């Protein structure tokens, strides 16, 4: 009989909520959140002896609207998005919000507290290669499963926020997913990325033949959303694990602009003219282990054949010189001296006048 009382309680609460606010309550993690309110949750997960927590803030608007899911700290050494999330706690006003925002403050607490780039210390897995996760998997797989089932699955739109990890010199950009089978969803994602106030937008091509098959793992957090038919974008803003307040503020402004574009917050979104759209990226990897000496920085424009840096062995002898194989803009590069064989040195985004977005 207890389940009957539970159903009656939910139905009664829903009627009261609708009568008072014109908007129903929002259920998260077994708790009802009423319109115009904000609630904090601490999710506790364990896998054997490994434990973690996920701090999540839910903003439930006073009026009806879509659900926007946001994740920060999937890589816990990427601090700019995490600190942006802390600012958004006080920036998003549920009294003035239409719809609901679910904000994962720090997805990978083990990586954050352990100051661990890329990997979760407990199971040595990369959380952003673990989606959709496993209910009975390792701690990273359990985190991915919880986010997939409880944040992504509830979302109408989705944003995964990243920055450059400890060794990564990264130029700020937003990105969206593109797949021919999801043409309209891809287009919505593209427009989301274009309305976040960034000067560069990258297309992530989900081109794998079996990408949409259920047995093909999405791996990436935002790719899991896109695979479920949810328009998904990434923010990449910040570098080298640093906290640079202007870049933190840029992330905050980007989320606020997106909320305005989606009609969830009053005001006009940021509109940039001449936004560069990068539909193709070229990777340059190291053929040696040693010490890397870059001659360029992220955001630099380069031409094919230009020298980008060199690698020495541990006695100072040059073992390789690195040249640009394509013209474009350096979106990402290795920003610290250690280099391993097959490690990515540069990611160059190719563009031309034809893919410059103009309003």
């Amino acid at each position: 009989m207890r389940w009957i009382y539970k159903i009656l309680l939910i139905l009664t609460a829903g009627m009261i909520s609708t009568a008072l606010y014109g908007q129903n309550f929002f259920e998260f993690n077994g708790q009802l959140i009423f319109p115009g309110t904000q609630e904090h949750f601490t999710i506790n997960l364990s896998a054997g002896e490994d434990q973690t927590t996920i701090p999540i803030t839910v903003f439930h608007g006073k009026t009806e609207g879509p659900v926007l899911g946001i994740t920060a700290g999937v890589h816990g050494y990427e601090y700019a998005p995490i600190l942006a999330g802390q600012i958004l706690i006080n920036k998003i006003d549920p009294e003035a919000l239409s719809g609901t925002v679910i904000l994962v403050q720090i997805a990978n607490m083990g990586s954050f507290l352990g100051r661990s780039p890329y990997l979760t210390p407990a199971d040595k897995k990369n959380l952003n290669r673990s989606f959709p996760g496993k209910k009975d998997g390792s701690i990273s797989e359990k985190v991915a499963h919880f986010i997939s089932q409880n944040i992504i699955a509830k979302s109408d739109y989705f944003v995964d926020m990243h920055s450059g990890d400890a060794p990564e010199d990264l130029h700020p950009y937003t990105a969206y997913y593109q797949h021919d089978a999801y043409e309209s969803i891809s287009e919505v994602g593209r427009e989301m990325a274009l309305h976040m106030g960034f000067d560069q937008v990258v297309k992530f091509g989900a081109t794998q033949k079996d990408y949409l098959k259920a047995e093909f793992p999405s791996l990436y957090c935002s790719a899991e959303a896109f695979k479920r038919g949810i328009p998904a974008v990434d923010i990449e803003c910040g570098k080298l694990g640093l906290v640079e307040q202007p870049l933190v503020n840029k992330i905050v402004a980007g989320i606020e602009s997106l909320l305005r574009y989606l009609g969830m917050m009053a005001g006009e979104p940021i509109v940039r003219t001449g936004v560069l759209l990068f539909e193709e990226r070229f990777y340059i990897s190291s053929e040696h282990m040693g010490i890397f000496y870059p001659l360029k920085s992220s955001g630099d424009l380069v031409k094919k054949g230009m020298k980008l840096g060199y690698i020495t062995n541990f006695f100072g002898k040059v073992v390789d010189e690195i040249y640009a194989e394509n013209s474009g803009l350096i979106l990402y590069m290795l920003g610290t001296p250690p280099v391993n064989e097959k490690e990515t040195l540069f990611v160059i985004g190719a563009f031309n006048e034809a893919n410059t977005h103009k309003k």
Side-chain angles (χ1 to χ4, degrees), residues 154-170:
K154 287 179 175 287
S155 300
D156 298 303
Y157 305 97
F158 189 77
V159 181
D160 189 24
M161 305 194 298
H162 288 266
S163 63
D165 218 314
E168 299 176 338
D169 182 4
L170 182 143

Side-chain angles (χ1 to χ4, degrees), residues 106-126:
I106 306 172
N108 195 335
M109 187 64 75
S111 171
F112 177 71
L113 294 178
R115 302 181 182 90
S116 173
Y118 305 124
L119 305 180
T120 304
D123 59 8
K124 308 301 181 185
K125 291 182 181 291
N126 185 335

Side-chain angles (χ1 to χ4, degrees), residues 31 33-41 56-61 85-95 97 101 103 105:
Q31 181 175 328
I33 306 169
F34 279 81
T37 64
Q38 172 199 95
E39 295 289 343
H40 299 303
F41 295 83
I56 298 172
T57 304
V58 179
F59 311 81
H60 189 39
Q86 296 296 292
I87 293 173
L88 287 168
I89 291 174
N90 297 312
K91 280 276 192 175
I92 300 175
D93 179 8
E95 287 277 337
L97 184 69
V101 176
L103 172 59
Q105 300 286 353

Side-chain angles (χ1 to χ4, degrees), residues 4-54:
I4 297 177
Y5 291 120
K6 186 176 181 181
I7 292 173
L8 289 173
L9 179 63
I10 291 173
L11 291 173
T12 302
M15 288 186 290
I16 293 172
S17 174
T18 304
L20 291 175
Y21 304 103
Q23 155 89 314
N24 209 338
F25 60 80
F26 186 79
E27 190 274 331
F28 185 80
N29 200 45
Q31 181 175 328
L32 301 182
I33 306 169
F34 279 81
T37 64
Q38 172 199 95
E39 295 289 343
H40 299 303
F41 295 83
T42 300
I43 306 301
N44 298 305
L45 299 176
S46 62
E49 296 182 354
D50 299 328
Q51 298 182 348
T52 193
T53 61
I54 311 174

